[in-house]
Amino acid sequence: MNHLAVNYSDVQAAAQRLIDVAQLTPLLPVTLLDARLDATVHVKAEVLQIGGSFKFRGAYNRLVQLDAAARGSGVVAWSSGNHAQGVAAAAARLAIPATIVMPSDAPAIKIDKTRELGADILFYDRMRESREVIATALAERSGAVLVPSFDDPYIIAGQGTTGIEIANQSRAAGGLPDIVLVCCGGGGLVAGIATALAELAPDAAVYSVEPEGYDDTARSLATGIIQHVDPAARSICDALLAPHPGTVTFPLNHTLLAGGLVVTDAEVRAAMRFAFRELKLVVEPGGAVALAALLAGKIEVAGKRVVAVLSGGNVDSAQFAEILQASDQ
Amino acid sequence: MNHLAVNYSDVQAAAQRLIDVAQLTPLLPVTLLDARLDATVHVKAEVLQIGGSFKFRGAYNRLVQLDAAARGSGVVAWSSGNHAQGVAAAAARLAIPATIVMPSDAPAIKIDKTRELGADILFYDRMRESREVIATALAERSGAVLVPSFDDPYIIAGQGTTGIEIANQSRAAGGLPDIVLVCCGGGGLVAGIATALAELAPDAAVYSVEPEGYDDTARSLATGIIQHVDPAARSICDALLAPHPGTVTFPLNHTLLAGGLVVTDAEVRAAMRFAFRELKLVVEPGGAVALAALLAGKIEVAGKRVVAVLSGGNVDSAQFAEILQASDQ
């Protein structure tokens, strides 16, 4: 195994920092799917995390590293929404001023909730401006620390605490998982979970799941070389639109993952309806890709113990209502 | 204290029977409300229970009492939906044939899911026929056991296991509750929870919460005499339309409750939107009344530790979509 930027002890240390800070989200059985798929299925309900997605874990683990001087200068992040809320919530908890650079077409719920958490928001035009340039200039001007959304060892280790919980909760529920399905944008969550499970459930096959058109990690895993997204690609999974795998996340994922799965927007909508009806959970498009892969039969699970991570639930009511009432499958 | 039909040891016994059978549903913090109400607020997410509501607890605790001969003859219940699913799920688990008498205008999701759980369904016209007469005749004809939806000691004790969990989870989260808000139709859930908390959190004030027009328990508590609902009353809370308190539940509630609160349908819809947006939970109208009472300021909670039970999440997608997009408050 190559030398990797994050190892299990980093995830363990993050878990220690997050005790009584992050929510221990439940691992819920999906008995309806057990019968249908001849498997033992659980979902990790990370929609119930602080800020409505897993992002708080990594953001807190990153921000808590800052010394008093750095905290005083504040933090800057760019995000379409879930990382924004994660950083805003972690910053509020640590009394650090936060500015978030967000696309002006981000879901209103993500903008509003970031603001409610006390962060300043700076909007940019996703089609014409560079969030990196705006955020970097702001950080240089103010002395604030730039908080990346996935390509950072502390962020990855924080997200990986989800994997420790999956292992512990699965064991308590009857056995370690054989297959774990995790959404993938930049790849921080799946890299962190895979790092934890390589230690705690070494026989588990961990898969990234991406939306069609944004399958850069699946193609990068298949070729061993970082692949980019076609700039013309579109998806309803606003949380998973990273243009290419990270330089920190990809070596981890290339070493640790069993492969990359891909789902269509229609499969994502069907999974959101399933979560509404059968699980009573609100799941956003990007948060539903792992469940979508399972429901759409993208992987053979008969006889296996499977965990699908429901990674976020920040979806506008108008979009959710529209998806509930559609029946494309 | 009068001699009551259910005591704490009955609830404890039910909890033993439900270990590894019912879901231990999470108690979730609502930090947004902590700031707004100057309180410490948790919700008990019973929408995540098997069958999508608390009803499985009582149904299983009742059905597991039946001997082999009685199990062979099957069970009959009447229900607008949640008890139907609770009985169907418990009967399936115990391999008991179940027939459910349901109103033909019950939410489609409740009808479909009851059928998916393997129960036979017999429809009746809520305005012109008596479900009691239909179900009783069916039970007499077939020898099946009639399973009441709330007015039964085993049912109440089963629902009361929710109260044991609330006490244990609240203690783990920092302290026992001062105020516990629970939905009330026939009063089985609130009676069971109050029985458990009288032992485990004797300082907690437990309140029933009912929809406007169906405030029979509130009026009965205030007068000490069982009051009935006006037959002309209407509410979106289809799960809470019992016409009067039960003869088993009311003596318990009269002895144990601190009082009865009442909420409007508009307050219920606002609570459903809050649960969607802030908690990422799907809550049906009847399941949202306790949260509605809290949000609408029906009780002073400043400085207190408060638990609101989210009792069920079985709502049709069309109704949920409509409520999400409305803005009546």
Side-chain angles (χ1 to χ4, degrees):
Chain A
M1 197 180 284
N2 311 323
H3 174 74
L4 295 170
V6 182
N7 58 43
Y8 177 63
S9 65
D10 300 320
V11 185
Q12 266 187 313
Q16 284 299 317
R17 293 179 198 115
L18 287 168
I19 288 175
D20 291 336
V21 176
Q23 180 68 27
L24 173 59
T25 57
L27 186 79
L28 300 167
V30 190
T31 44
L32 183 71
L33 285 188
D34 292 0
R36 193 185 294 176
L37 301 174
D38 183 28
T40 303
V41 178
H42 288 82
V43 292
K44 177 65 170 167
E46 200 60 12
V47 301
L48 303 176
Q49 189 51 262
I50 294 168
S53 89
F54 68 95
K55 289 286 191 179
F56 175 78
R57 297 174 184 264
Y60 185 87
N61 192 49
R62 181 70 189 80
L63 265 55
V64 79
Q65 310 295 331
L66 300 176
D67 63 20
R71 290 187 189 192
S73 302
V75 294
V76 175
W78 67 77
S79 165
S80 66
N82 283 335
H83 179 55
Q85 284 178 73
V87 170
R93 175 125 196 163
L94 295 165
I96 300 174
T99 304
I100 315 286
V101 180
M102 295 185 80
S104 46
D105 64 347
I109 187 172
K110 294 182 176 177
I111 296 170
D112 293 347
K113 289 181 66 71
T114 301
R115 194 176 278 132
E116 284 165 18
L117 287 162
D120 287 328
I121 300 179
L122 204 64
F123 290 105
Y124 76 101
D125 181 330
R126 215 156 49 79
M127 296 299 154
R128 295 188 307 182
E129 296 177 285
S130 160
R131 59 190 189 176
E132 288 87 342
V133 170
I134 294 172
T136 305
L138 183 65
E140 282 174 4
R141 204 161 59 234
S142 65
V145 173
L146 203 56
V147 185
S149 63
F150 56 84
D151 223 16
D152 175 282
Y154 287 109
I155 300 281
I156 295 166
Q159 321 303 31
T161 60
T162 317
I164 294 180
E165 293 173 16
I166 288 172
N168 292 339
Q169 294 171 316
S170 294
R171 207 182 290 109
L176 289 170
D178 302 304
I179 295 173
V180 179
L181 305 174
V182 187
C183 68
C184 181
L189 178 62
V190 69
I193 289 176
T195 300
L197 294 181
E199 177 79 18
L200 300 174
D203 295 334
V206 181
Y207 291 85
S208 60
V209 187
E210 295 169 293
E212 200 172 64
Y214 288 85
D215 58 344
D216 47 301
T217 289
R219 289 186 288 114
S220 302
L221 289 172
T223 58
I225 297 164
I226 287 187
Q227 305 286 322
H228 288 244
V229 164
D230 180 340
R234 293 291 176 271
S235 167
I236 59 168
C237 300
D238 62 272
L240 305 179
L241 306 186
H244 56 77
T247 55
V248 184
T249 55
F250 184 66
L252 285 159
N253 286 330
H254 190 215
T255 304
L256 299 172
L257 300 195
L261 308 177
V262 182
V263 294
T264 67
D265 278 1
E267 289 162 349
V268 167
R269 287 191 288 263
M272 291 171 69
R273 286 191 290 271
F274 182 93
F276 164 82
R277 180 186 160 91
E278 306 297 343
L279 307 176
K280 313 304 175 194
L281 292 173
V282 176
V283 186
E284 66 180 278
V289 293
L291 178 61
L294 189 61
L295 293 174
K298 298 294 167 103
I299 184 166
E300 177 58 48
V301 297
K304 310 276 187 166
R305 301 185 67 88
V306 187
V307 173
V309 179
L310 301 178
S311 52
N314 293 309
V315 52
D316 276 346
S317 54
Q319 185 186 25
F320 195 75
E322 183 197 316
I323 288 171
L324 277 192
Q325 297 185 278
S327 58
D328 56 331
Q329 296 213 34
Chain B
M1 197 181 284
N2 310 322
H3 173 73
L4 295 171
V6 182
N7 59 43
Y8 177 62
S9 64
D10 299 319
V11 184
Q12 265 186 313
Q16 284 299 317
R17 292 179 198 115
L18 286 168
I19 288 175
D20 291 336
V21 175
Q23 180 68 28
L24 172 61
T25 58
L27 185 80
L28 299 167
V30 191
T31 44
L32 183 71
L33 285 188
D34 292 0
R36 193 186 296 175
L37 302 173
D38 183 28
T40 303
V41 178
H42 288 82
V43 292
K44 176 67 169 165
E46 199 60 11
V47 301
L48 303 177
Q49 188 51 263
I50 294 167
S53 89
F54 68 95
K55 289 285 190 179
F56 175 79
R57 297 174 184 264
Y60 185 87
N61 192 47
R62 181 70 188 78
L63 265 54
V64 78
Q65 310 294 330
L66 301 177
D67 63 20
R71 291 188 189 192
S73 303
V75 295
V76 174
W78 67 75
S79 165
S80 66
N82 284 335
H83 179 55
Q85 283 178 72
V87 170
R93 175 125 193 160
L94 295 165
I96 300 174
T99 304
I100 316 287
V101 179
M102 296 185 79
S104 45
D105 64 347
I109 188 172
K110 293 182 176 178
I111 296 170
D112 294 345
K113 288 181 66 73
T114 302
R115 195 176 278 135
E116 284 165 17
L117 288 162
D120 287 328
I121 302 179
L122 204 63
F123 290 105
Y124 76 100
D125 181 330
R126 217 157 47 80
M127 295 299 153
R128 296 188 309 183
E129 296 177 284
S130 160
R131 59 191 189 176
E132 289 86 342
V133 170
I134 294 172
T136 306
L138 183 65
E140 282 174 3
R141 204 161 61 235
S142 65
V145 173
L146 204 55
V147 184
S149 63
F150 57 84
D151 224 17
D152 174 282
Y154 286 109
I155 299 281
I156 295 166
Q159 321 303 30
T161 60
T162 316
I164 293 181
E165 293 173 15
I166 288 172
N168 292 340
Q169 293 171 315
S170 294
R171 206 182 291 110
L176 290 170
D178 302 303
I179 295 173
V180 179
L181 305 174
V182 188
C183 68
C184 182
L189 178 63
V190 68
I193 289 176
T195 300
L197 294 182
E199 177 79 18
L200 299 175
D203 295 334
V206 181
Y207 291 84
S208 60
V209 186
E210 295 169 293
E212 200 172 63
Y214 288 85
D215 60 342
D216 47 299
T217 289
R219 290 185 287 112
S220 302
L221 290 171
T223 59
I225 297 164
I226 287 187
Q227 304 286 322
H228 288 243
V229 164
D230 180 340
R234 293 290 177 271
S235 167
I236 59 167
C237 300
D238 62 273
L240 305 179
L241 307 185
H244 56 77
T247 55
V248 184
T249 55
F250 184 66
L252 285 158
N253 287 330
H254 190 216
T255 305
L256 300 171
L257 299 195
L261 308 178
V262 182
V263 293
T264 67
D265 279 0
E267 289 162 347
V268 166
R269 286 190 288 263
M272 290 171 69
R273 286 191 290 269
F274 182 93
F276 165 82
R277 181 186 160 89
E278 305 298 342
L279 306 176
K280 313 306 174 191
L281 293 173
V282 176
V283 186
E284 66 180 281
V289 293
L291 178 61
L294 188 61
L295 293 174
K298 298 294 166 100
I299 184 166
E300 176 58 48
V301 297
K304 309 276 186 165
R305 300 185 67 89
V306 187
V307 173
V309 178
L310 302 178
S311 53
N314 293 309
V315 52
D316 276 346
S317 53
Q319 185 185 25
F320 196 75
E322 183 197 316
I323 289 171
L324 277 193
Q325 297 185 278
S327 58
D328 54 333
Q329 296 214 34

